[in-house]
């Protein structure tokens, strides 16, 4: 997701510690000492201080009805197959998706801008002259669901709590937070050390604000099923642990008429049901027990929509364009395991994956081969590095693979046979070069130990999809297996890095910050349980490139830095890119309305759609 007009990035090669001090000079387009109604990475705000609502909502949308859906995405410690805690912001346990809808944040993101946030709990923010402190003015009407005021003391408590005990998705952005102070009941000051990226505030301003009183009485770091006291548009209603949960719209929600909320949160009730089997979830959808789902199984999308409700026109299939944000669907090869530390071994494993055969036999011709850590964006590296990219990469030449400086590394296309002899031959040669010699059916090291690789999955669908990959690995001498585990164990083993190979899908913000990238790729997160650095990447050169992203002062220099980072990551082969879709494959019972224009940078169906009584009556769902 342009050329770099600045040459001072050459200094980044000197030392990562020096680079860490650069980002405080960014954000230069945002004035200091002036209360701002919104923030963006490079100072460009679409909406003026007196805006009435976001352009992509329907402010006349009716309110009511129940939206029972299968969430297509989630974060923090959330799990779509089970839950055993209602605390979504701790590393422990499995929480239900969409708990964040029960909480408000200081500011809210606009989904038709790549990086802008506007006042929610805070009606504005003032940046200090040294750009190290941010002072938020809180709205006096802000309330928790029990009617108690939400004050700066609650907000200060929240940020300190997240820094100390929060999920890594929260705590890592607060690494350089020095203090969170309630200047007075309506003024919060967040002070950073100067080693932070100033764009960090774009992440931090969206963090949920918790009740100090509630979490003083209820331990934050314990798995608990005590519904938390929130302050957002919804609150926890009825639920059955591990089976289903309902969020009820708060009738007297304090912020319902704010510009950032108008036209949103239209459903009276949002219900999520949990299925550990995809087939069971689809059957529930066919019966109308689930009303909206995104289809991630190509076979089902291509062949299974022939049930009575669909043929009668009660159920609709529709493809919505995907967001223009960088995304990654890939397999992590865990370098905490000694046998995977040689990049040639990781490359050999990648060569055993026959995407072309898989696409034809499992995906019904859908999906495209992913090549980048930042697919579907301008941040994907292409061809030879530009002069501006080389300005960043050359000082790091001795710390990066030689392939970084040639054509951007891509995964080769197979002959589609499922057993491409050329690719498997190259894989076997790479293993031999890495010291793994063939002895009988297996590749062994000098001590006679087998090269083993276990694929960790939590769904039988992936057992089927990855079995041919496993077979190819075994053909070149890798003692490869698949282990299917239950959802709770899968999440625990992922968080504690207890796996050899694991496949995941993630999206980044349209304007990535250093914090966004650190949790995935930085040395500092390689040993942090619950981080997204699943391969265990620990590279000073990658750290320097991440700092370059944080230091970018405009979108052109950001794009250059991101492409350089992508180029280096692909050459290291920490992740094996898999596949991606260009659209959301959505299916829903035809009883909803939605805005004509989908925003480019988000698709929160549960927040933007509404219940249409007329449509519901026509299909017998009124």
């Amino acid at each position: 997701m342009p050329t770099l007009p600045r040459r001072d990035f050459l200094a980044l090669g000197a030392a990562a510690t020096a680079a860490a001090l650069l980002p405080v000079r960014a954000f230069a387009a945002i004035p200091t000492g002036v209360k701002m109604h919104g923030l963006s990475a490079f100072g460009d705000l679409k909406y003026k201080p007196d805006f009435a609502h976001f352009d992509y909502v329907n402010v006349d949308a009716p309110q009511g009805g129940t939206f029972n859906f299968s969430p297509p995405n989630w974060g923090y410690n959330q799990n779509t197959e089970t839950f055993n805690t209602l605390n979504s912001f701790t590393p422990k346990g499995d929480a239900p998706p969409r708990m964040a809808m029960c909480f408000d944040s200081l500011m809210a993101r606009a989904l038709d801008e790549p990086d802008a946030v506007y006042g929610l709990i805070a009606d504005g923010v003032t940046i200090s002259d040294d750009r190290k402190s941010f002072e938020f003015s809180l709205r006096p009407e802000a309330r928790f669901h029990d009617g108690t005021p939400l004050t700066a003391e609650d907000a200060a408590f929240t940020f300190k709590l997240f820094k100390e005990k929060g999920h890594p998705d929260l705590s890592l952005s607060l690494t350089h937070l020095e203090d969170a102070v309630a200047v007075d009941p309506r003024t919060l000051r967040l002070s950073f050390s100067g080693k932070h990226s100033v764009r960090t505030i774009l992440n931090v301003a969206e963090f949920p604000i918790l009740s100090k009183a509630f979490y003083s009485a209820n331990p934050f770091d314990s798995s608990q099923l005590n519904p938390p006291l929130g302050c957002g548009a919804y609150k926890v209603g009825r639920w059955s642990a591990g089976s289903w949960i309902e969020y009820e719209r708060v009738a007297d929600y304090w912020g319902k008429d704010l510009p950032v909320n108008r036209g949103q949160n239209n459903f009276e009730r949002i219900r999520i049901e949990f299925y550990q089997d995809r087939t069971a979830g689809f059957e529930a959808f066919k019966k109308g027990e689930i009303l909206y789902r995104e289809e991630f199984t190509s076979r089902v999308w291509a062949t299974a929509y022939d049930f009575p409700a669909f043929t009668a026109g009660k159920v609709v299939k529709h493809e919505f364009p995907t967001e223009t944000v960088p995304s990654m669907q890939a397999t992590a090869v865990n370098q905490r395991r000694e046998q995977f530390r040689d990049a040639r071994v990781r490359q050999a494993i990648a060569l055993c994956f026959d995407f072309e055969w898989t696409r034809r036999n499992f995906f019904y011709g859908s999906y495209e081969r992913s090549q980048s850590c930042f697919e579907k964006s301008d941040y994907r590296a292409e061809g030879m590095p530009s002069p501006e990219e080389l300005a960043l990469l050359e000082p790091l030449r001795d710390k990066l693979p030689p392939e970084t400086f040639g054509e951007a590394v891509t995964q080769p296309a197979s002959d589609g046979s499922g057993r491409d002899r050329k690719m498997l031959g190259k894989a076997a040669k790479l293993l031999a070069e890495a010291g793994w010699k063939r002895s009988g059916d297996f590749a062994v090291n000098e001590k006679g130990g087998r090269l083993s690789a276990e694929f960790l999955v939590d769904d039988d669908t992936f057992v089927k999809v990855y079995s041919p990959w496993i077979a190819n690995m075994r053909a070149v001498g890798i003692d490869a297996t698949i282990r299917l585990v239950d959802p709770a164990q899968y999440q625990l083993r992922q968080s504690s890095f207890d796996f050899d190979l694991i496949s995941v899908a993630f999206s980044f913000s349209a304007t990535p910050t250093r914090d966004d990238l650190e949790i995935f790729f930085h040395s500092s997160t390689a040993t942090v349980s619950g981080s997204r650095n699943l391969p265990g990447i620990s590279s000073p050169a990658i750290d320097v490139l991440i700092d370059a992203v944080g230091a970018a002062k405009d979108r052109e220099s950001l794009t250059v830095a991101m492409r350089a980072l992508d180029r280096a990551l692909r050459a290291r082969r920490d992740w094996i890119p898999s596949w991606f879709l260009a659209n959301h494959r959505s299916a829903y019972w035809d009883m909803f309305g939605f805005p004509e224009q989908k925003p480019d940078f988000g698709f929160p169906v549960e927040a933007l759609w509404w219940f249409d009584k007329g449509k519901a009556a026509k299909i017998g769902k009124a």
Side-chain angles (χ1 to χ4, degrees):
M1 257 160 218
T3 61
L4 179 63
R6 300 166 56 247
R7 301 293 178 183
D8 55 336
F9 278 147
L10 285 170
L12 288 171
T17 52
L21 299 176
L22 288 175
V24 295
R25 298 203 299 265
F27 235 38
I30 306 291
T32 61
V34 178
K35 184 176 176 180
M36 301 288 295
H37 73 292
L39 294 172
S40 72
F42 304 115
D44 301 321
L45 291 172
K46 173 181 177 179
Y47 295 98
K48 304 303 181 185
D50 59 350
F51 80 100
H53 58 81
F54 292 135
D55 289 347
Y56 52 83
V57 303
N58 175 11
V59 293
D60 298 318
Q63 296 190 332
T66 296
F67 189 63
N68 189 339
F69 80 126
S70 298
N73 50 51
W74 54 95
Y76 307 124
N77 67 349
Q78 296 168 5
N79 196 323
T80 56
E81 297 179 50
T82 188
F83 72 95
N84 49 40
T85 179
L86 294 178
N87 186 351
S88 189
F89 311 122
T90 174
K92 297 182 179 180
D94 303 271
R98 302 304 184 263
M99 279 298 301
M101 296 185 76
C102 299
F103 298 88
D104 278 332
S105 52
L106 295 173
M107 308 188 90
R109 190 171 295 272
L111 300 181
D112 56 351
E113 296 180 83
D115 52 42
V117 292
Y118 295 88
L120 203 174
I121 290 174
D123 61 11
V125 57
T126 304
I127 304 176
S128 65
D129 290 341
D130 63 5
R131 300 185 183 275
K132 296 181 183 180
S133 295
F134 302 83
E135 201 159 271
F136 292 88
S137 171
L138 274 56
R139 300 181 193 271
E141 65 268 30
R143 292 285 187 277
F144 289 104
H145 294 153
D146 65 354
T148 57
L150 188 160
T151 69
E153 190 68 32
D154 294 297
F157 168 83
T158 296
F159 289 109
K160 291 177 181 178
L161 184 65
F162 285 162
K163 179 180 171 73
E164 179 185 0
K165 298 180 178 180
H167 189 279
D169 287 353
L170 300 164
S171 63
L172 290 172
S173 287
L174 300 172
T175 299
H176 300 297
L177 177 73
E178 288 194 329
D179 207 357
V181 177
V183 178
D184 59 50
R186 296 297 165 201
T187 307
L188 169 73
R189 181 185 301 130
L190 299 179
S191 300
F192 292 83
S193 66
K195 295 181 180 180
H196 65 296
S197 166
V198 181
R199 294 202 303 277
T200 293
I201 201 64
L202 295 175
N203 292 337
V204 170
E206 285 196 283
F207 286 0
I209 301 301
L210 310 183
S211 163
K212 179 179 180 180
F214 179 87
Y215 280 108
S216 296
N218 299 272
F220 175 77
D221 55 355
S222 65
S223 293
Q224 54 183 293
L225 287 166
N226 184 16
L229 178 62
C231 54
Y234 289 87
K235 64 181 180 181
V236 175
R238 301 184 307 148
W239 50 270
S240 175
S243 298
W244 54 271
I245 188 169
E246 292 181 348
Y247 300 108
E248 298 176 352
R249 188 157 53 85
V250 178
D252 58 350
Y253 168 47
W254 72 271
K256 62 182 178 181
D257 294 322
L258 293 177
V260 294
N261 283 329
R262 292 191 66 206
Q264 302 185 60
N265 307 314
N266 301 307
F267 293 108
E268 187 68 26
R269 183 177 296 103
I270 294 174
R271 181 181 171 100
I272 298 172
E273 298 185 23
F274 296 78
Y275 298 94
Q276 295 188 18
D277 180 79
R278 291 192 183 200
T279 300
F282 184 60
E283 289 300 318
F285 174 72
K286 289 163 61 175
K287 296 174 184 176
E289 296 169 5
I290 301 294
L291 302 173
Y292 174 92
R293 63 185 268 121
E294 283 197 39
E295 189 56 70
F296 297 108
T297 303
S298 297
R299 176 187 57 78
V300 173
W301 186 255
T303 68
Y305 281 80
D306 57 358
F307 51 93
F310 179 77
T311 56
K314 296 180 179 182
V315 169
V316 175
K317 290 172 66 179
H318 187 88
E319 294 196 28
F320 294 91
T322 192
E323 290 68 65
T324 52
V325 298
S327 63
M328 176 176 70
Q329 185 158 340
T331 296
V333 186
N334 190 356
Q335 294 164 50
R336 301 170 188 86
R337 307 281 205 258
E338 185 176 354
Q339 69 265 35
F340 303 127
R341 291 174 187 163
D342 192 312
R344 290 170 294 189
V345 173
R346 304 195 294 272
Q347 184 180 0
I349 292 172
L351 286 168
C352 292
F353 176 52
D354 192 328
F355 170 76
E356 285 68 30
W357 185 91
T358 302
R359 184 176 190 264
R360 185 177 70 252
N361 288 276
F362 286 119
F363 297 160
Y364 289 78
S366 62
Y367 290 106
E368 300 298 328
R369 183 67 193 263
S370 179
Q371 299 289 355
S372 168
C373 293
F374 311 115
E375 201 61 71
K376 300 188 291 185
S377 76
D378 289 340
Y379 305 138
R380 169 177 161 155
E382 299 281 358
M384 295 294 291
S386 67
E388 293 78 16
E389 290 173 61
L390 286 174
L392 292 175
L393 294 170
E394 281 292 353
L396 305 170
R397 182 176 280 273
D398 63 339
K399 299 181 180 67
L400 291 169
E403 294 91 338
T404 308
F405 300 88
E407 294 277 341
V409 169
T410 58
Q411 305 301 311
S414 75
D415 61 11
S417 66
R419 283 290 181 95
D420 187 312
R421 288 180 173 272
K422 183 177 180 181
M423 289 175 62
L424 295 183
K426 184 176 180 180
K429 182 179 179 181
L430 286 166
L431 293 179
E433 291 173 356
W436 296 93
K437 307 301 182 182
R438 193 66 177 259
S439 176
D441 291 335
F442 298 103
V444 299
N445 59 20
E446 58 184 11
K447 297 179 181 179
R450 289 183 183 179
L451 175 56
S452 62
E454 180 184 84
F455 227 123
L456 186 68
V457 300
D458 66 343
D459 191 300
D460 188 60
T461 297
F462 293 112
V463 174
K464 298 172 183 175
V465 171
Y466 292 141
S467 286
W469 190 353
I470 293 295
N472 280 344
M473 282 194 268
R474 295 184 72 85
V476 299
I478 301 173
D479 186 8
T481 56
I482 298 179
R483 182 177 294 273
L484 175 65
V485 298
D486 65 73
Q489 185 180 357
Y490 181 86
Q491 178 124 315
L492 177 62
R493 290 186 61 173
Q494 177 178 309
S495 298
S496 59
F497 311 125
D498 183 15
F499 59 84
D500 291 345
L501 307 174
I502 193 169
S503 291
V504 292
F506 293 109
S507 292
F508 300 89
S509 65
T511 305
T513 68
R514 192 173 71 191
D515 306 308
D516 296 332
L517 302 174
E518 280 183 346
I519 196 170
F520 285 89
F521 310 118
H522 199 277
S523 300
S524 63
T525 62
T527 58
V528 177
S529 296
S531 83
R532 312 301 183 183
N533 189 347
L534 300 179
I537 301 170
S538 184
S539 164
I542 295 297
D543 298 347
V544 170
L545 292 173
I546 290 173
D547 285 330
V549 172
K553 293 182 178 179
D554 52 48
R555 195 162 296 281
E556 290 75 20
S557 55
L558 174 70
T559 301
V560 168
M562 287 291 293
R563 288 176 179 172
L565 175 63
D566 184 45
R567 193 176 294 277
L569 288 169
R570 288 158 66 176
R572 283 179 49 86
R573 303 181 188 275
D574 304 296
W575 295 87
I576 301 172
S578 50
W579 54 77
F580 69 92
L581 269 178
N583 296 313
H584 294 280
R585 293 188 300 206
S586 297
Y588 52 90
W589 284 73
D590 193 14
M591 52 193 293
F592 304 112
F594 49 85
E596 291 184 12
Q597 186 67 38
K598 173 190 169 294
D600 287 337
F601 303 106
F603 191 45
V605 173
E606 65 278 15
L608 298 181
W609 287 25
W610 60 89
F611 177 72
D612 187 314
K613 289 184 178 179
K615 287 184 176 181
K618 288 181 180 179
I619 65 171
K621 284 281 189 178

